[in-house]
Amino acid sequence: MLRKILSSRIAVLLLLAAMIAIVPVLAPSSFYLRVAALVWIFGLAALGLTILTGYAGQVSLGHAGFLGIGAYAVAVGPAKLGLDPLLSLLLGAVLCGLVAYAVGKPILRLKGYYLAIATLGFGLIVALVLTSEGAITGGPDGMQVPRVVLFGWRIAGVVPWYWISGGALLIGALLALNILASPSGRALRALHDSEVAAAGVGVDVAAKKLAAFVISGVYAGVAGSLLALMNGFITPEAAGFMHSIELVAMVIIGGLGSVVGAVVGAAFLVVLPQALTVLQEYEQAVLGLLIMVFMIVLPAGIVPSLRRLVLERAA
Amino acid sequence: MTILQVNDLGITFGGLRAVDGVSFQVSLGEVFSIIGPNGAGKTTLFNLVTGIYRAGRGSIRLAGEDVTQLAPHLLVRRGMARTFQNLQIFFRMTAIENVMVGNHLSERTSLLADLFALPSVARQNRRTRERALELLERVGLAHHAETTAGELSYGVLKRLEIARALAADPKVLLLDEPAAGCNAVETEAIDRLIGQIAESGVAVVLIEHDMKLVMKISDRVLVLAHGKRLAEGSPRVVRNDPAVVAAYLGEHGAREADRAHG
Ligand SMILES: Nc1ncnc2c1ncn2[C@@H]1O[C@H](COP(=O)(O)OP(=O)(O)OP(=O)(O)O)[C@@H](O)[C@H]1O
Ligand SMILES: [Mg+2]
């Protein structure tokens, strides 16, 4: 019974909605809201990796590349092409999907370490292009992101972006949960455990992996757009290698395959560095140490480990 | 009616002729067993027939059509399903989910429908689950439906693999040592199950080391040694074939003797 409740779609969504609703009550300052909005945004990108890595078992060390494409879509679209920012966001998401398809088709044949390195290469290329195409992207100095005007209302300041990113996270979580409980989700989880057996019952393994890669690319792209729109400014650093690593770390620290885990992992890696700034030069070292301790104590990730604890207590 | 026709099939691994010009035919409703000493090439033959390995020579026809170069997931569409000698279970999924994946090909939803949880997905999930539960009942595992497969015992997982393969609704079912590692009671259950499956009109191709089981349920037996066909015929004929006794039972006997002497 408890197991059913803990894993039901509604319960997960309610939990996330409660988290989003409670932050402005507990910590109404714009600094805290900004940090929380970053959690929702990176949580959204991490959710994409939950589908790719958590469900289907395929690694990517290049997903910040999609983050970068999404971010620059809402910067370049309005500034250089005169497109509406929201339309730019949508086009950015579509572009991420197309790029993921084109890149994923050849490299998803690779497995394990080899796939990791190939995706790493993809991320590096995106960062390189964003840095070197200065005429369009502003080069390493980055570029301004025009403000969004919706029905005559200029969206500025952290509060609207807090709610928009929170809403996007909820939608992302809903879709990820939908997939999980569907024929596609079962096929992805199956090929994670045994590709040969999945193919042996008719699962088109290559097509399913590609679908997961495209979906996860779109998630990261939308997250990148939201990041750029909220910050009002974007640099190629968005597509940087560190962000790719952070996304993978979020998914693993939070709990591979867990929707709530992706958000908790994002919170871990977004909030902790902020909280640890008081330690000044020891910040990075302590963060690294905390990551190690968490992985040693909760090797299955924070959320699955806690879930097991609760279920054992109840039993 | 002949459903599977294997003609002069062969593959080499770095000079080793693992399967060397093997031919056989299987009809709907019969139990066709493949036996032979360890390393004879039985599993390799299955891997060829199910498209996991590309045949170096020869052809495979399924229901009259040439399927020699077809990928595994496409062969399933044509009615071929199998189990694996070294278990290939979806360990992190529940028993019923394992069987539900077996039903993949008859599921009528699209990726977009799945993403947006359209009503058709819920209907499909219900249908798939019902079918999976029926199959679990058929192999006697309904009470394990919601258990994570990784927590189930070896003998149970062997039957779970059969249920999963049956979910694909095969015309030809290839079983690679389904009774290996099973106790007497479990072997008995598998024996009965195979009989039922064949009776339902499915062609069963069985690799098995348990001679008592093979001799009891097979309609015909193919004996392999060093990748080649050594003999083929009814269990009685094969058992009394001098070449088989010498090569297969002889080697087997030698191994038993080895074991006895430590
Ligand atoms: N992928 C491969 N690469 C190289 N050699 C292989 C490969 N697959 C099988 N072989 C070799 O082919 C031969 C036949 O192996 P196979 O697994 O088909 O035997 P088997 O009859 O199934 O034996 P067992 O009864 O032990 O299961 C063995 O010598 C094996 O080492
Ligand atoms: Mg074998």
Side-chain angles (χ1 to χ4, degrees):
Chain A
M1 189 57 206
L2 189 59
R3 182 186 292 267
K4 272 247 166 72
I5 293 173
L6 282 181
S7 52
S8 86
R9 235 181 309 189
I10 301 288
V12 171
L13 290 173
L14 280 179
L15 179 64
L16 290 178
M19 281 161 65
I20 293 166
I22 206 134
V23 172
V25 178
L26 295 180
S29 89
S30 68
F31 171 76
Y32 289 122
L33 285 187
R34 220 188 88 79
V35 172
L38 285 174
V39 172
W40 311 148
I41 289 170
F42 279 99
L44 180 64
L47 273 178
L49 277 190
T50 293
I51 295 171
L52 179 69
T53 311
Y55 297 178
Q58 309 301 307
V59 276
S60 169
L61 294 183
H63 257 53
F66 297 113
L67 211 66
I69 293 173
Y72 275 86
V74 293
V76 174
K80 308 280 169 179
L81 306 172
L83 296 173
D84 178 76
L86 286 183
L87 179 65
S88 302
L89 183 150
L90 286 179
L91 289 177
V94 172
L95 182 62
C96 281
L98 292 175
V99 170
Y101 186 88
V103 170
K105 203 154 173 99
I107 69 174
L108 283 169
R109 264 179 296 180
L110 305 172
K111 292 194 173 107
Y113 310 122
Y114 306 99
L115 178 61
I117 298 306
T119 50
L120 176 91
F122 161 71
L124 293 179
I125 289 171
V126 173
L128 186 75
V129 169
L130 293 177
T131 311
S132 56
E133 291 301 313
I136 303 169
T137 65
D141 298 334
M143 69 188 290
Q144 208 76 35
V145 180
R147 290 270 167 236
V148 179
V149 180
L150 207 58
F151 309 120
W153 173 48
R154 196 161 160 276
I155 302 178
V158 76
V159 175
W161 286 115
Y162 176 87
W163 293 109
I164 291 171
S165 58
L169 177 73
L170 277 182
I171 294 171
L174 173 66
L175 298 185
L177 291 165
N178 285 347
I179 281 273
L180 188 62
S182 76
S184 299
R186 283 194 293 275
L188 291 178
R189 289 164 64 213
L191 73 88
H192 188 172
D193 278 346
S194 169
E195 288 189 19
V196 71
V201 288
V203 173
D204 187 342
V205 171
K208 292 291 171 193
K209 283 186 192 174
L210 191 55
F213 196 68
V214 167
I215 292 172
S216 68
V218 172
Y219 267 78
V222 172
S225 294
L226 291 173
L227 185 68
L229 287 169
M230 181 171 82
N231 287 342
F233 193 80
I234 193 72
T235 69
E237 193 260 337
F241 177 56
M242 267 314 285
H243 275 318
S244 288
I245 299 295
E246 275 170 10
L247 289 178
V248 174
M250 287 169 183
V251 172
I252 293 176
I253 292 172
L256 203 54
S258 159
V259 166
V260 178
V263 182
V264 170
F268 189 100
L269 283 185
V270 171
V271 175
L272 266 186
Q274 301 284 349
L276 294 176
T277 46
V278 292
L279 299 176
Q280 292 172 3
E281 69 260 42
Y282 298 112
E283 179 205 323
Q284 293 287 326
V286 173
L287 179 64
L289 200 66
L290 277 175
I291 292 176
M292 285 170 67
V293 169
F294 264 81
M295 286 322 295
I296 292 167
V297 177
L298 305 173
I302 297 174
V303 172
S305 301
L306 289 181
R307 186 167 173 269
R308 192 168 310 146
L309 214 68
V310 170
L311 285 175
E312 273 167 15
R313 279 282 163 79
Chain B
M1 190 193 102
T2 302
I3 181 78
L4 178 67
Q5 232 175 321
V6 169
N7 197 7
D8 193 31
L9 211 56
I11 191 171
T12 53
F13 296 116
L16 171 76
R17 294 186 183 182
V19 172
D20 191 5
V22 173
S23 307
F24 63 88
Q25 299 192 358
V26 190
S27 299
L28 289 175
E30 86 171 321
V31 177
F32 182 80
S33 290
I34 301 174
I35 63 172
N38 293 101
K42 304 180 295 293
T43 299
T44 306
L45 184 57
F46 266 24
N47 286 341
L48 284 169
V49 170
T50 55
I52 292 174
Y53 293 158
R54 275 277 158 91
R57 67 185 238 224
S59 69
I60 305 154
R61 297 178 83 81
L62 185 59
E65 286 178 57
D66 184 29
V67 296
T68 313
Q69 300 296 330
L70 238 45
H73 72 274
L74 296 176
L75 278 166
V76 187
R77 279 171 206 276
R78 308 286 188 100
M80 187 125 75
R82 71 172 289 184
T83 67
F84 299 86
Q85 179 175 0
N86 55 338
L87 287 173
Q88 294 288 335
I89 286 284
F90 310 131
F91 282 104
R92 278 169 283 204
M93 304 173 82
T94 62
I96 195 164
E97 282 173 332
N98 267 269
V99 183
M100 287 169 81
V101 176
N103 206 28
H104 183 73
L105 279 184
S106 53
E107 293 184 309
R108 294 277 161 267
T109 70
S110 67
L111 183 65
L112 280 182
D114 288 353
L115 255 178
F116 295 103
L118 300 185
S120 62
V121 177
R123 272 199 306 274
Q124 182 63 63
N125 277 343
R126 239 184 342 265
R127 253 200 315 271
T128 303
R129 182 170 281 275
E130 271 167 27
R131 264 213 80 207
L133 196 57
E134 276 168 28
L135 284 165
L136 281 177
E137 264 159 25
R138 192 164 159 200
V139 300
L141 298 180
H143 56 295
H144 285 308
E146 302 300 336
T147 312
T148 306
E151 292 165 13
L152 294 169
S153 73
Y154 191 83
V156 166
L157 292 177
K158 280 278 179 192
R159 267 181 292 161
L160 184 60
E161 271 208 351
I162 298 179
R164 182 180 67 193
L166 285 175
D169 228 345
K171 294 198 270 281
V172 181
L173 177 63
L174 298 100
L175 303 173
D176 198 343
E177 303 200 18
C182 292
N183 61 35
V185 180
E186 287 166 339
T187 303
E188 173 72 30
I190 285 174
D191 171 356
R192 250 178 297 130
L193 184 60
I194 292 173
Q196 286 166 11
I197 294 167
E199 228 162 80
S200 73
V202 174
V204 179
V205 186
L206 172 72
I207 295 176
E208 187 49 63
H209 280 296
D210 184 333
M211 278 312 125
K212 226 176 82 204
L213 180 63
V214 169
M215 294 304 162
K216 183 167 159 229
I217 63 175
S218 308
D219 294 301
R220 288 183 302 134
V221 179
L222 168 69
V223 187
L224 281 187
H226 304 295
K228 284 199 176 76
R229 174 163 85 178
L230 199 62
E232 188 186 324
S234 72
R236 202 165 42 84
V237 169
V238 163
R239 192 171 21 195
N240 297 324
D241 188 309
V244 175
V245 174
Y248 180 70
L249 298 177
E251 279 181 47
H252 187 72
R255 225 183 28 244
E256 297 283 76
D258 271 347
R259 207 174 294 157
H261 291 119

